[in-house]
Amino acid sequence: MRPIATTRAATGIATGKLAVWWVLASEVVIFGGLLASYVMHRLGHPEWADAAIHTDVRIGAFNTFVLLSSSLTAVLAHQAAERGDGKKAARYLYWTIFGAVTFLGVKTFEWYTEITHGYTITSNTFWSFYYSAAGLHALHVIAGAVIMAIVARDAARNRQLHRVELIGIYWHFVDIVWIFLFPLLYIAK
């Protein structure tokens, strides 16, 4: 049985889904402000290209592939949950979590390499923005993976299957943010 808070829909939208969209609206403000600030500074500082050239496009592209693949498994989890197959939904969510862990592992390797080459958050303003934006995104990946593990545990027991869609919506937002970060931090040199 679903808690009443998840079944009420005075607006025509389930309360849980509405809550997720409100959270994402606030996240758009946060990431939007950060990215707009980055673009404005980048346009005013052409010397940033000298710092940006040291980001590794191959690593960024690989992580883009990983996140987009994890979005696919999140969609497949939602489809399984819609059919009432919690065990299958949980398996797909675990694959999505694997994608998150892979992304974070690659990001850790990348940052280790950059830092050991002297590119730290205090090197210049480009690297400050780079680590701030990528770090904030990485925190969202971690939060998504933790919440997804909780949802997957319940889904495996065929409980609270509606939450598979909710974490999927959040996960797609995390991927969309990366779609903006990847070209700004890795390609636009």
Side-chain angles (χ1 to χ4, degrees), residues 88-135:
K88 192 172 202 176
R91 280 195 304 273
Y92 281 124
L93 287 178
Y94 289 132
W95 277 108
T96 307
I97 293 167
F98 177 74
V101 170
T102 301
F103 177 90
L104 293 168
V106 170
K107 184 58 65 188
T108 300
F109 168 78
E110 178 187 22
W111 282 7
Y112 173 79
T113 303
E114 289 164 349
I115 291 168
T116 57
H117 285 95
Y119 307 118
T120 67
I121 197 166
T122 59
S123 295
N124 60 39
T125 313
F126 168 79
W127 288 105
S128 294
F129 269 105
Y130 169 82
Y131 285 113
S132 296

Short mmCIF file of all heavy atoms in Angstrom, two decimals, residues 88-135:
data_model
loop_
_atom_site.label_atom_id
_atom_site.label_comp_id
_atom_site.label_asym_id
_atom_site.label_seq_id
_atom_site.Cartn_x
_atom_site.Cartn_y
_atom_site.Cartn_z
N LYS A 88 13.19 -6.84 -11.59
CA LYS A 88 13.85 -6.38 -12.81
C LYS A 88 14.17 -4.89 -12.71
O LYS A 88 15.25 -4.44 -13.12
CB LYS A 88 12.97 -6.66 -14.03
CG LYS A 88 13.68 -6.48 -15.35
CD LYS A 88 12.79 -6.98 -16.48
CE LYS A 88 13.63 -7.31 -17.68
NZ LYS A 88 12.82 -7.88 -18.75
N ALA A 89 13.24 -4.12 -12.16
CA ALA A 89 13.49 -2.69 -11.97
C ALA A 89 14.72 -2.48 -11.08
O ALA A 89 15.57 -1.64 -11.38
CB ALA A 89 12.27 -2.02 -11.34
N ALA A 90 14.82 -3.26 -10.02
CA ALA A 90 15.97 -3.15 -9.12
C ALA A 90 17.27 -3.49 -9.84
O ALA A 90 18.28 -2.80 -9.67
CB ALA A 90 15.79 -4.07 -7.91
N ARG A 91 17.25 -4.54 -10.67
CA ARG A 91 18.47 -4.90 -11.42
C ARG A 91 18.91 -3.74 -12.32
O ARG A 91 20.10 -3.41 -12.37
CB ARG A 91 18.24 -6.16 -12.25
CG ARG A 91 18.36 -7.44 -11.46
CD ARG A 91 18.48 -8.68 -12.34
NE ARG A 91 17.41 -8.83 -13.31
CZ ARG A 91 16.25 -9.45 -13.06
NH1 ARG A 91 16.03 -9.95 -11.85
NH2 ARG A 91 15.33 -9.55 -14.00
N TYR A 92 17.96 -3.12 -12.99
CA TYR A 92 18.32 -1.99 -13.85
C TYR A 92 18.81 -0.80 -13.03
O TYR A 92 19.74 -0.09 -13.44
CB TYR A 92 17.14 -1.58 -14.73
CG TYR A 92 16.95 -2.46 -15.93
CD1 TYR A 92 15.73 -3.10 -16.16
CD2 TYR A 92 17.98 -2.65 -16.86
CE1 TYR A 92 15.54 -3.90 -17.28
CE2 TYR A 92 17.80 -3.46 -17.97
CZ TYR A 92 16.58 -4.08 -18.17
OH TYR A 92 16.41 -4.87 -19.28
N LEU A 93 18.22 -0.60 -11.87
CA LEU A 93 18.70 0.48 -11.00
C LEU A 93 20.12 0.20 -10.52
O LEU A 93 20.94 1.12 -10.42
CB LEU A 93 17.77 0.69 -9.81
CG LEU A 93 16.43 1.35 -10.12
CD1 LEU A 93 15.58 1.46 -8.86
CD2 LEU A 93 16.61 2.72 -10.77
N TYR A 94 20.42 -1.06 -10.24
CA TYR A 94 21.79 -1.39 -9.83
C TYR A 94 22.77 -1.13 -10.98
O TYR A 94 23.90 -0.69 -10.76
CB TYR A 94 21.88 -2.83 -9.34
CG TYR A 94 21.21 -3.04 -8.00
CD1 TYR A 94 20.32 -4.09 -7.80
CD2 TYR A 94 21.43 -2.17 -6.93
CE1 TYR A 94 19.69 -4.29 -6.58
CE2 TYR A 94 20.80 -2.36 -5.71
CZ TYR A 94 19.93 -3.41 -5.54
OH TYR A 94 19.31 -3.59 -4.33
N TRP A 95 22.35 -1.37 -12.21
CA TRP A 95 23.20 -1.04 -13.37
C TRP A 95 23.38 0.48 -13.45
O TRP A 95 24.47 0.96 -13.80
CB TRP A 95 22.62 -1.58 -14.67
CG TRP A 95 22.97 -3.01 -14.90
CD1 TRP A 95 22.13 -4.10 -14.81
CD2 TRP A 95 24.26 -3.54 -15.23
NE1 TRP A 95 22.83 -5.25 -15.07
CE2 TRP A 95 24.14 -4.93 -15.32
CE3 TRP A 95 25.51 -2.96 -15.44
CZ2 TRP A 95 25.21 -5.75 -15.63
CZ3 TRP A 95 26.59 -3.78 -15.75
CH2 TRP A 95 26.44 -5.15 -15.84
N THR A 96 22.34 1.22 -13.14
CA THR A 96 22.45 2.68 -13.15
C THR A 96 23.43 3.13 -12.07
O THR A 96 24.26 4.02 -12.31
CB THR A 96 21.06 3.32 -12.93
OG1 THR A 96 20.15 2.78 -13.89
CG2 THR A 96 21.12 4.83 -13.10
N ILE A 97 23.36 2.52 -10.91
CA ILE A 97 24.30 2.83 -9.83
C ILE A 97 25.72 2.47 -10.27
O ILE A 97 26.67 3.22 -10.00
CB ILE A 97 23.92 2.09 -8.53
CG1 ILE A 97 22.59 2.63 -8.00
CG2 ILE A 97 25.01 2.21 -7.48
CD1 ILE A 97 21.95 1.77 -6.91
N PHE A 98 25.88 1.37 -10.95
CA PHE A 98 27.19 1.00 -11.49
C PHE A 98 27.71 2.11 -12.41
O PHE A 98 28.91 2.45 -12.36
CB PHE A 98 27.12 -0.34 -12.24
CG PHE A 98 28.41 -0.74 -12.88
CD1 PHE A 98 29.47 -1.21 -12.12
CD2 PHE A 98 28.57 -0.63 -14.26
CE1 PHE A 98 30.67 -1.57 -12.72
CE2 PHE A 98 29.77 -0.98 -14.86
CZ PHE A 98 30.82 -1.45 -14.09
N GLY A 99 26.84 2.68 -13.22
CA GLY A 99 27.24 3.80 -14.07
C GLY A 99 27.69 4.99 -13.24
O GLY A 99 28.68 5.65 -13.56
N ALA A 100 26.97 5.28 -12.16
CA ALA A 100 27.35 6.39 -11.29
C ALA A 100 28.72 6.15 -10.66
O ALA A 100 29.56 7.05 -10.62
CB ALA A 100 26.29 6.57 -10.20
N VAL A 101 28.93 4.94 -10.19
CA VAL A 101 30.22 4.60 -9.56
C VAL A 101 31.35 4.68 -10.59
O VAL A 101 32.44 5.17 -10.30
CB VAL A 101 30.15 3.22 -8.87
CG1 VAL A 101 31.51 2.75 -8.42
CG2 VAL A 101 29.17 3.27 -7.70
N THR A 102 31.08 4.20 -11.81
CA THR A 102 32.08 4.29 -12.87
C THR A 102 32.41 5.75 -13.17
O THR A 102 33.58 6.13 -13.27
CB THR A 102 31.57 3.59 -14.16
OG1 THR A 102 31.29 2.22 -13.85
CG2 THR A 102 32.58 3.68 -15.28
N PHE A 103 31.37 6.57 -13.31
CA PHE A 103 31.57 8.01 -13.55
C PHE A 103 32.46 8.61 -12.46
O PHE A 103 33.42 9.33 -12.75
CB PHE A 103 30.22 8.72 -13.59
CG PHE A 103 30.34 10.21 -13.76
CD1 PHE A 103 30.37 10.77 -15.02
CD2 PHE A 103 30.41 11.05 -12.66
CE1 PHE A 103 30.48 12.15 -15.18
CE2 PHE A 103 30.52 12.42 -12.81
CZ PHE A 103 30.56 12.98 -14.07
N LEU A 104 32.14 8.31 -11.21
CA LEU A 104 32.90 8.88 -10.09
C LEU A 104 34.34 8.35 -10.06
O LEU A 104 35.27 9.10 -9.74
CB LEU A 104 32.19 8.59 -8.77
CG LEU A 104 30.85 9.32 -8.60
CD1 LEU A 104 30.09 8.75 -7.41
CD2 LEU A 104 31.06 10.82 -8.46
N GLY A 105 34.52 7.08 -10.40
CA GLY A 105 35.87 6.52 -10.45
C GLY A 105 36.72 7.19 -11.51
O GLY A 105 37.89 7.53 -11.28
N VAL A 106 36.13 7.39 -12.69
CA VAL A 106 36.85 8.07 -13.77
C VAL A 106 37.14 9.52 -13.37
O VAL A 106 38.24 10.03 -13.60
CB VAL A 106 36.03 8.00 -15.09
CG1 VAL A 106 36.63 8.90 -16.15
CG2 VAL A 106 35.96 6.56 -15.58
N LYS A 107 36.17 10.18 -12.76
CA LYS A 107 36.36 11.57 -12.32
C LYS A 107 37.48 11.65 -11.27
O LYS A 107 38.30 12.57 -11.30
CB LYS A 107 35.04 12.11 -11.75
CG LYS A 107 35.03 13.55 -11.34
CD LYS A 107 35.39 14.52 -12.42
CE LYS A 107 34.42 14.57 -13.56
NZ LYS A 107 34.96 15.43 -14.65
N THR A 108 37.53 10.68 -10.36
CA THR A 108 38.60 10.65 -9.35
C THR A 108 39.96 10.51 -10.01
O THR A 108 40.90 11.24 -9.67
CB THR A 108 38.35 9.49 -8.36
OG1 THR A 108 37.09 9.69 -7.73
CG2 THR A 108 39.45 9.41 -7.32
N PHE A 109 40.07 9.59 -10.96
CA PHE A 109 41.33 9.42 -11.70
C PHE A 109 41.70 10.71 -12.42
O PHE A 109 42.85 11.15 -12.40
CB PHE A 109 41.21 8.26 -12.70
CG PHE A 109 42.34 8.21 -13.68
CD1 PHE A 109 43.57 7.70 -13.32
CD2 PHE A 109 42.17 8.70 -14.98
CE1 PHE A 109 44.63 7.68 -14.22
CE2 PHE A 109 43.21 8.67 -15.89
CZ PHE A 109 44.44 8.17 -15.51
N GLU A 110 40.71 11.31 -13.07
CA GLU A 110 40.96 12.55 -13.83
C GLU A 110 41.45 13.66 -12.90
O GLU A 110 42.44 14.34 -13.20
CB GLU A 110 39.66 12.97 -14.52
CG GLU A 110 39.76 14.26 -15.29
CD GLU A 110 38.42 14.71 -15.83
OE1 GLU A 110 37.36 14.29 -15.30
OE2 GLU A 110 38.44 15.52 -16.77
N TRP A 111 40.77 13.85 -11.78
CA TRP A 111 41.18 14.90 -10.87
C TRP A 111 42.56 14.61 -10.27
O TRP A 111 43.35 15.52 -10.09
CB TRP A 111 40.14 15.08 -9.77
CG TRP A 111 38.94 15.84 -10.21
CD1 TRP A 111 38.64 16.24 -11.49
CD2 TRP A 111 37.88 16.29 -9.39
NE1 TRP A 111 37.46 16.92 -11.50
CE2 TRP A 111 36.96 16.96 -10.24
CE3 TRP A 111 37.60 16.18 -8.05
CZ2 TRP A 111 35.79 17.53 -9.75
CZ3 TRP A 111 36.44 16.75 -7.56
CH2 TRP A 111 35.55 17.42 -8.40
N TYR A 112 42.82 13.37 -9.95
CA TYR A 112 44.14 13.01 -9.41
C TYR A 112 45.22 13.40 -10.42
O TYR A 112 46.23 14.01 -10.06
CB TYR A 112 44.20 11.51 -9.10
CG TYR A 112 45.59 11.06 -8.72
CD1 TYR A 112 46.07 11.27 -7.43
CD2 TYR A 112 46.42 10.44 -9.65
CE1 TYR A 112 47.35 10.87 -7.07
CE2 TYR A 112 47.70 10.05 -9.31
CZ TYR A 112 48.17 10.26 -8.02
OH TYR A 112 49.44 9.87 -7.68
N THR A 113 44.99 13.07 -11.68
CA THR A 113 45.96 13.38 -12.72
C THR A 113 46.14 14.89 -12.87
O THR A 113 47.26 15.39 -12.95
CB THR A 113 45.51 12.77 -14.08
OG1 THR A 113 45.35 11.37 -13.90
CG2 THR A 113 46.51 13.03 -15.17
N GLU A 114 45.04 15.63 -12.90
CA GLU A 114 45.12 17.08 -13.06
C GLU A 114 45.81 17.73 -11.86
O GLU A 114 46.68 18.60 -12.04
CB GLU A 114 43.71 17.66 -13.23
CG GLU A 114 43.09 17.31 -14.57
CD GLU A 114 41.60 17.53 -14.64
OE1 GLU A 114 40.95 17.78 -13.59
OE2 GLU A 114 41.09 17.43 -15.76
N ILE A 115 45.47 17.30 -10.68
CA ILE A 115 46.07 17.90 -9.48
C ILE A 115 47.55 17.60 -9.40
O ILE A 115 48.35 18.48 -9.06
CB ILE A 115 45.31 17.44 -8.22
CG1 ILE A 115 43.91 18.07 -8.22
CG2 ILE A 115 46.07 17.78 -6.95
CD1 ILE A 115 42.95 17.49 -7.19
N THR A 116 47.94 16.37 -9.74
CA THR A 116 49.38 16.04 -9.70
C THR A 116 50.17 16.78 -10.77
O THR A 116 51.38 16.91 -10.65
CB THR A 116 49.62 14.52 -9.84
OG1 THR A 116 49.04 14.06 -11.06
CG2 THR A 116 49.07 13.76 -8.65
N HIS A 117 49.49 17.28 -11.80
CA HIS A 117 50.15 18.10 -12.82
C HIS A 117 50.08 19.59 -12.48
O HIS A 117 50.45 20.44 -13.28
CB HIS A 117 49.54 17.84 -14.20
CG HIS A 117 49.98 16.55 -14.79
ND1 HIS A 117 49.24 15.39 -14.68
CD2 HIS A 117 51.10 16.23 -15.49
CE1 HIS A 117 49.88 14.41 -15.28
NE2 HIS A 117 51.00 14.89 -15.77
N GLY A 118 49.56 19.90 -11.29
CA GLY A 118 49.56 21.28 -10.81
C GLY A 118 48.30 22.08 -11.12
O GLY A 118 48.26 23.28 -10.87
N TYR A 119 47.28 21.44 -11.67
CA TYR A 119 46.03 22.15 -11.99
C TYR A 119 45.06 21.95 -10.83
O TYR A 119 44.29 21.01 -10.80
CB TYR A 119 45.43 21.63 -13.29
CG TYR A 119 46.41 21.65 -14.43
CD1 TYR A 119 46.80 20.47 -15.07
CD2 TYR A 119 46.98 22.84 -14.87
CE1 TYR A 119 47.72 20.49 -16.10
CE2 TYR A 119 47.90 22.86 -15.89
CZ TYR A 119 48.26 21.69 -16.51
OH TYR A 119 49.18 21.70 -17.52
N THR A 120 45.12 22.87 -9.88
CA THR A 120 44.29 22.78 -8.68
C THR A 120 43.23 23.87 -8.70
O THR A 120 43.24 24.75 -9.56
CB THR A 120 45.15 22.92 -7.41
OG1 THR A 120 45.67 24.26 -7.37
CG2 THR A 120 46.29 21.91 -7.39
N ILE A 121 42.36 23.83 -7.73
CA ILE A 121 41.27 24.81 -7.65
C ILE A 121 41.81 26.22 -7.45
O ILE A 121 41.15 27.20 -7.78
CB ILE A 121 40.27 24.42 -6.52
CG1 ILE A 121 38.95 25.16 -6.69
CG2 ILE A 121 40.89 24.63 -5.15
CD1 ILE A 121 37.82 24.61 -5.86
N THR A 122 43.04 26.35 -6.97
CA THR A 122 43.63 27.68 -6.76
C THR A 122 44.58 28.09 -7.87
O THR A 122 45.17 29.17 -7.80
CB THR A 122 44.39 27.70 -5.41
OG1 THR A 122 45.42 26.71 -5.43
CG2 THR A 122 43.46 27.46 -4.24
N SER A 123 44.70 27.27 -8.92
CA SER A 123 45.62 27.62 -10.01
C SER A 123 45.22 28.89 -10.73
O SER A 123 46.04 29.75 -11.02
CB SER A 123 45.70 26.47 -11.03
OG SER A 123 46.27 25.34 -10.45
N ASN A 124 43.96 29.00 -11.09
CA ASN A 124 43.42 30.21 -11.72
C ASN A 124 41.90 30.11 -11.69
O ASN A 124 41.33 29.11 -11.23
CB ASN A 124 43.96 30.43 -13.13
CG ASN A 124 43.65 29.29 -14.07
OD1 ASN A 124 42.57 28.71 -14.04
ND2 ASN A 124 44.62 28.95 -14.93
N THR A 125 41.24 31.13 -12.24
CA THR A 125 39.78 31.16 -12.17
C THR A 125 39.14 30.05 -12.98
O THR A 125 38.09 29.51 -12.60
CB THR A 125 39.26 32.54 -12.65
OG1 THR A 125 40.03 33.56 -12.02
CG2 THR A 125 37.81 32.74 -12.28
N PHE A 126 39.73 29.68 -14.12
CA PHE A 126 39.16 28.57 -14.90
C PHE A 126 39.08 27.30 -14.05
O PHE A 126 38.05 26.64 -14.00
CB PHE A 126 39.96 28.28 -16.17
CG PHE A 126 39.55 26.97 -16.80
CD1 PHE A 126 38.40 26.90 -17.57
CD2 PHE A 126 40.27 25.80 -16.58
CE1 PHE A 126 37.98 25.69 -18.12
CE2 PHE A 126 39.87 24.59 -17.13
CZ PHE A 126 38.72 24.54 -17.91
N TRP A 127 40.19 26.97 -13.40
CA TRP A 127 40.21 25.73 -12.61
C TRP A 127 39.28 25.84 -11.40
O TRP A 127 38.70 24.84 -10.97
CB TRP A 127 41.63 25.37 -12.20
CG TRP A 127 42.40 24.88 -13.38
CD1 TRP A 127 43.36 25.56 -14.07
CD2 TRP A 127 42.25 23.62 -14.06
NE1 TRP A 127 43.81 24.80 -15.13
CE2 TRP A 127 43.14 23.60 -15.15
CE3 TRP A 127 41.43 22.51 -13.85
CZ2 TRP A 127 43.27 22.51 -16.02
CZ3 TRP A 127 41.55 21.43 -14.72
CH2 TRP A 127 42.45 21.43 -15.78
N SER A 128 39.10 27.03 -10.86
CA SER A 128 38.12 27.21 -9.77
C SER A 128 36.72 26.88 -10.25
O SER A 128 35.98 26.15 -9.59
CB SER A 128 38.15 28.65 -9.25
OG SER A 128 39.37 28.93 -8.63
N PHE A 129 36.36 27.41 -11.42
CA PHE A 129 35.04 27.10 -11.98
C PHE A 129 34.94 25.62 -12.33
O PHE A 129 33.93 24.97 -12.08
CB PHE A 129 34.78 27.95 -13.24
CG PHE A 129 34.09 29.24 -12.96
CD1 PHE A 129 34.80 30.43 -13.00
CD2 PHE A 129 32.74 29.28 -12.67
CE1 PHE A 129 34.17 31.64 -12.75
CE2 PHE A 129 32.10 30.49 -12.42
CZ PHE A 129 32.82 31.67 -12.46
N TYR A 130 35.99 25.09 -12.92
CA TYR A 130 35.99 23.69 -13.34
C TYR A 130 35.72 22.77 -12.15
O TYR A 130 34.82 21.92 -12.20
CB TYR A 130 37.34 23.34 -13.99
CG TYR A 130 37.56 21.89 -14.22
CD1 TYR A 130 37.02 21.24 -15.33
CD2 TYR A 130 38.30 21.12 -13.32
CE1 TYR A 130 37.22 19.88 -15.54
CE2 TYR A 130 38.50 19.77 -13.52
CZ TYR A 130 37.96 19.16 -14.63
OH TYR A 130 38.16 17.81 -14.83
N TYR A 131 36.50 22.92 -11.09
CA TYR A 131 36.33 22.05 -9.92
C TYR A 131 35.01 22.31 -9.20
O TYR A 131 34.40 21.38 -8.68
CB TYR A 131 37.51 22.19 -8.96
CG TYR A 131 38.75 21.48 -9.45
CD1 TYR A 131 39.88 22.21 -9.82
CD2 TYR A 131 38.80 20.10 -9.55
CE1 TYR A 131 41.02 21.56 -10.27
CE2 TYR A 131 39.93 19.45 -10.01
CZ TYR A 131 41.05 20.19 -10.37
OH TYR A 131 42.17 19.54 -10.82
N SER A 132 34.58 23.57 -9.17
CA SER A 132 33.30 23.88 -8.51
C SER A 132 32.13 23.25 -9.26
O SER A 132 31.27 22.59 -8.66
CB SER A 132 33.10 25.39 -8.41
OG SER A 132 34.08 25.96 -7.60
N ALA A 133 32.09 23.44 -10.57
CA ALA A 133 30.97 22.91 -11.37
C ALA A 133 30.99 21.39 -11.41
O ALA A 133 29.97 20.73 -11.17
CB ALA A 133 31.01 23.49 -12.78
N ALA A 134 32.16 20.82 -11.71
CA ALA A 134 32.26 19.35 -11.78
C ALA A 134 32.07 18.73 -10.40
O ALA A 134 31.49 17.64 -10.28
CB ALA A 134 33.60 18.94 -12.39
N GLY A 135 32.55 19.40 -9.36
CA GLY A 135 32.40 18.89 -8.00
C GLY A 135 30.94 18.92 -7.55
O GLY A 135 30.46 17.96 -6.94
#
